[in-house]
Amino acid sequence: MAEDSIHQPNDKLLKATFSVPENARAFFQNHLPNELAEALDWNSLAIEPCSFIDPQLTSSESDLLFHITLHQSDAFLYLLFEHQSSEDPRMALRLLSYILRIWERFAQNHPSPAKLPAILPIVLAQGKRPWKTSTRLEDLIDLPPAVAHILRPWQPTLAYHLLELVRIPYNAFAGTPEGILTLRALKAEPMNELLDDAIWDESLLFSISEGALERILRYILNAEVSVTQLKERLGKIQTKPLQSKTMTLADQLRQEGEQEGIIKGSCGPSERQCCA
């Protein structure tokens, strides 16, 4: 059993799942606009071991940066996972600051005249309610109507692809079994639906590794679902080998919790802040 501490279960589950190229590739291919997905060389997808978020926001958001080839040019997919309870009306401004950090890092490693790579920002939002925030930076800028047409060309422009878990039906999540279950769990947690049938799709649960299954169970327990409630739900599993395996893992997690006083979760690949 993994012994790494977990103080941000949302962050850990997301990174443990989507730091795996196969999971990330299937997620992006299925949840980006078709025209964009078809233009990217998915065989080139590679994760960059860096984080660009502000230190004071690490408890409410996390990020993953992927290098990819776009029509034989360098490009980046930047996934920002937002798991605070309320939306940020200035999300586009915050994203601009993160994108600038990515470009600054690239510029330090690729002197002029190398051009800056395209960055495709995606925000994955967790929460109970849909966002009302505009996804375009220009909508945050106060341009007097009489001179807006003059000023607009001089203003920075940015738009991000917003994926709101609350708006996506459970059966509409696509990708690998581990990716689908992770997205379903992240959607279910703020809705108090972690024990619902959507999370306990036996065909998906049977398809994932024991490590991935353990992460899902840990996430559920970190969401204040008791071991008793969890084991009651596991008792409804029809596939006996799967039921036995999940019961065993639940017992191990219970013993771990009794020994440590708190259920701890496993983390994904090592994380570090990017330096110059």
Side-chain angles (χ1 to χ4, degrees):
M1 302 289 287
E3 296 296 334
D4 298 322
S5 65
I6 179 168
H7 63 285
Q8 298 165 21
N10 295 329
D11 172 270
K12 300 297 184 182
L13 179 62
L14 180 95
K15 288 192 172 181
T17 299
F18 294 110
S19 292
V20 177
E22 179 186 4
N23 294 333
R25 185 182 302 115
F27 166 71
F28 288 128
Q29 285 179 314
N30 285 283
H31 293 286
L32 288 179
N34 288 338
E35 188 175 7
L36 175 58
E38 291 171 0
L40 295 164
D41 177 7
W42 294 106
N43 291 326
S44 69
L45 186 73
I47 192 167
E48 299 278 326
C50 304
S51 178
F52 299 89
I53 62 177
D54 294 322
Q56 68 269 25
L57 295 174
T58 55
S59 64
S60 62
E61 66 181 25
S62 56
D63 60 350
L64 288 169
L65 180 68
F66 299 85
H67 178 271
I68 196 166
T69 300
L70 173 63
H71 284 282
Q72 299 182 335
S73 296
D74 286 320
F76 289 102
L77 292 172
Y78 183 60
L79 178 63
L80 182 69
F81 178 49
E82 192 70 18
H83 48 86
Q84 58 186 357
S85 57
S86 59
E87 63 188 272
D88 180 1
R90 292 182 173 176
M91 173 56 70
L93 177 61
R94 196 190 322 165
L95 267 173
L96 178 61
S97 70
Y98 298 165
I99 288 171
L100 287 174
R101 291 170 191 172
I102 297 171
W103 273 332
E104 287 168 354
R105 173 176 172 264
F106 182 89
Q108 289 172 349
N109 296 320
H110 301 80
S112 181
K115 290 188 176 181
L116 299 175
I119 299 175
L120 311 172
I122 303 107
V123 174
L124 183 64
Q126 182 188 42
K128 294 182 180 180
R129 290 174 292 276
W131 284 21
K132 299 179 181 179
T133 297
S134 171
T135 59
R136 305 187 66 85
L137 179 63
E138 64 185 60
D139 292 334
L140 303 182
I141 303 172
D142 185 10
L143 299 178
V147 293
H149 66 289
I150 300 173
L151 295 175
R152 187 168 287 111
W154 295 353
Q155 308 308 308
T157 60
L158 179 146
Y160 59 91
H161 184 55
L162 177 62
L163 291 171
E164 296 177 84
L165 295 175
V166 70
R167 290 186 188 269
I168 304 174
Y170 285 110
N171 61 6
F173 290 119
T176 61
E178 183 179 351
I180 292 170
L181 283 172
T182 293
L183 293 171
R184 289 186 181 186
L186 292 171
K187 171 185 169 74
E189 189 272 326
M191 310 297 291
N192 295 318
E193 294 175 350
L194 282 169
L195 297 179
D196 288 10
D197 290 344
I199 311 302
W200 300 94
D201 184 322
E202 295 187 31
S203 63
L204 292 175
L205 289 168
F206 201 76
S207 300
I208 63 177
S209 68
E210 185 168 320
L213 180 59
E214 180 188 328
R215 284 192 292 272
I216 295 291
L217 295 181
R218 285 180 180 274
Y219 181 75
I220 291 171
L221 290 173
N222 270 291
E224 298 183 355
V225 173
S226 70
V227 174
T228 300
Q229 290 174 308
L230 177 60
K231 294 193 76 171
E232 287 177 359
R233 188 61 183 81
L234 298 181
K236 298 177 183 179
I237 293 176
Q238 299 297 311
T239 308
K240 292 304 179 184
L242 178 62
Q243 184 186 76
S244 176
K245 180 163 64 174
T246 53
M247 283 288 191
T248 299
L249 283 172
D251 282 333
Q252 291 174 331
L253 293 174
R254 176 184 57 79
Q255 293 170 7
E256 193 175 298
E258 289 175 351
Q259 292 171 358
E260 300 177 9
I262 183 172
I263 298 293
K264 295 183 178 181
S266 58
C267 65
S270 60
E271 307 161 31
R272 59 179 174 84
Q273 291 291 123
C274 279
C275 51

